[in-house]
Amino acid sequence: MMALSELTDDIIGSMAVGATFSDFGGQINSLDFHRTEDLLITASEDDSIRLFDIANGKLLKTTYHKKHGADRICFTHHPHSVICSSIHNLDVHGESLRYLSMYDNRCLRYFKGHKERVVSLCMSPINDSFLSGSLDHSVRIWDLRVNACQGILRLRGRPAVSYDQQGLVFAVAMEGGAIKLFDSRHFDKGPFETFLVGGDTAEVCDIKFSNDGKSMLLTTTSNSIYVLDAYGGEKRCGFNLDPSPTAMEATFTPDGQYVFSGSGDGSLHAWRIDTLNKVCSWDSHIGVASCLKWAPRRVMFVAASSVLTFWIPDHRSPGEAAGVQEEQVTLTQ
């Protein structure tokens, strides 16, 4: 698999399905790449958490979590430890978040506090802090080393959270198109900046910073995508997608030059931000892709519905690629 170098329109246009994992027993709720290792983690409706080696296209481990379920998930800094939100028995146990070891299938810590489902989860890139946003209209700040919540932000509507790549700032998006920026070290002082995304009052279901920290990517429940200037909040561009029964995810490429997204018609799209041109569209081969992320260190992205697909460059001629696609081997481990 290619290591990440400068991406071009030709490389983007050559992306094709390289591996398929189709043995999930339900929708894949969320997924995450490790920042420094070639690992991918998924959380699914079938209560499974699965760890993949993306360099070799292999499933490494599957664990099941029938008591709590598996909804939002993200890696910690350790390659075999994750944070996962619960979807079952929240009103009984209150154990809305768990710190899990994939190495020995052990829960290292429970985090209690959220009264309803967690819909957004993000690990700090520089320390043991992480953020969770819940349908109980709160964002909580946590530290992996202690059970107690470190801070609570009370908000309107469904919150989406994200750290910038330096871990110095985090963003919280909420209903009405409001985005608040906080200093990670002094969040108790309130936001130091607030942006309003005019013209769209739909709830934000996902927010991300580009790697260079200059842009933010918003995906709304009305199936719109916006790229914003992270410093001033100005809308750099926006894209509208076909309606979807589920919230969809968009992703930056690691160089911040392209945006990828699924759509309600089962297609995938890539746009170049500086020209606003659509570079390519593909049939996803898996229906509506609710999860979509680009690997941080590889020329690769993954798309998922109830099926997981790895996409990599295909440098064969169009005729050769089409022939191979018909005979594509499905990896189910």
Side-chain angles (χ1 to χ4, degrees):
M1 186 189 299
M2 291 174 62
L4 189 64
S5 56
E6 185 176 348
L7 295 172
T8 65
D9 290 2
D10 287 342
I11 292 174
I12 297 297
S14 74
M15 301 298 285
V17 177
T20 303
F21 298 84
S22 57
D23 63 339
F24 290 85
Q27 189 82 3
I28 297 167
N29 292 323
S30 61
L31 49 81
D32 190 36
F33 287 102
H34 194 270
R35 289 178 177 271
T36 58
E37 303 291 334
D38 285 325
L39 295 171
L40 173 76
I41 197 82
T42 64
S44 171
E45 274 182 351
D46 63 6
D47 301 328
S48 72
I49 295 177
R50 306 186 190 209
L51 182 68
F52 294 87
D53 171 355
I54 65 168
N56 298 295
K58 291 182 178 179
L59 174 63
L60 298 178
K61 189 164 190 176
T62 302
T63 60
Y64 286 92
H65 304 263
K66 297 298 183 183
K67 178 181 176 182
H68 295 93
D71 196 6
R72 303 294 104 185
I73 198 162
C74 67
F75 274 108
T76 66
H77 298 290
H78 192 284
H80 290 279
S81 297
V82 298
I83 306 160
C84 184
S85 70
S86 305
I87 202 168
H88 305 321
N89 302 313
L90 277 177
D91 54 341
V92 177
H93 304 291
E95 296 163 347
S96 54
L97 293 159
R98 292 114 60 212
Y99 177 21
L100 304 173
S101 168
M102 292 297 292
Y103 177 74
D104 53 7
N105 192 22
R106 196 161 52 93
C107 183
L108 305 175
R109 181 165 282 117
Y110 291 106
F111 301 96
K112 297 182 180 182
H114 285 302
K115 303 303 182 186
E116 295 191 45
R117 182 174 156 238
V118 170
V119 292
S120 189
L121 192 61
C122 188
M123 185 77 202
S124 168
I126 59 170
N127 58 34
D128 287 327
S129 299
F130 68 97
L131 302 169
S132 59
S134 167
L135 294 178
D136 65 10
H137 309 313
S138 73
V139 168
R140 290 179 178 254
I141 300 96
W142 309 87
D143 188 307
L144 282 176
R145 297 165 294 184
V146 293
N147 298 76
C149 174
Q150 304 299 294
I152 305 174
L153 307 174
R154 306 288 182 185
L155 307 163
R156 301 188 315 271
R158 171 189 177 130
V161 297
S162 181
Y163 282 99
D164 76 339
Q165 295 301 316
Q166 288 71 45
L168 302 178
V169 171
F170 67 82
V172 178
M174 63 198 78
E175 72 174 23
I179 301 166
K180 297 181 181 293
L181 300 184
F182 294 82
D183 183 327
S184 298
R185 298 158 296 185
H186 306 291
F187 59 83
D188 55 321
K189 299 185 184 304
F192 65 83
E193 188 68 87
T194 299
F195 305 141
L196 289 174
V197 183
D200 192 337
T201 58
E203 291 181 320
V204 175
C205 52
D206 190 39
I207 183 171
K208 293 182 174 76
F209 283 90
S210 59
N211 279 353
D212 61 11
K214 295 179 180 179
S215 301
M216 287 187 291
L217 180 63
L218 270 66
T219 311
T220 74
T221 53
S222 63
N223 302 302
S224 296
I225 299 170
Y226 301 104
V227 178
L228 307 181
D229 180 275
Y231 302 120
E234 294 87 2
K235 194 184 298 182
R236 296 181 60 189
C237 55
F239 311 102
N240 293 314
L241 308 168
D242 286 346
S244 166
T246 59
M248 290 180 297
E249 184 176 17
T251 184
F252 282 118
T253 52
D255 61 5
Q257 299 303 307
Y258 299 89
V259 168
F260 277 64
S261 175
S263 185
D265 62 357
S267 59
L268 303 176
H269 303 278
W271 296 272
R272 188 179 179 113
I273 296 172
D274 59 357
T275 64
L276 305 184
N277 291 332
K278 182 180 288 187
V279 177
C280 198
S281 294
W282 304 264
D283 182 343
S284 72
H285 306 292
I286 59 171
V288 177
S290 54
C291 299
L292 187 70
K293 274 194 173 72
W294 192 284
R297 305 183 309 116
R298 295 284 184 180
V299 183
M300 171 194 178
F301 70 89
V302 296
S305 55
S306 59
V307 177
L308 175 67
T309 50
F310 289 9
W311 290 69
I312 58 175
D314 186 341
H315 296 299
R316 289 171 293 225
S317 68
E320 290 175 319
V324 171
Q325 194 112 7
E326 291 294 322
E327 303 172 358
Q328 182 188 330
V329 176
T330 299
L331 304 178
T332 55
Q333 302 186 29

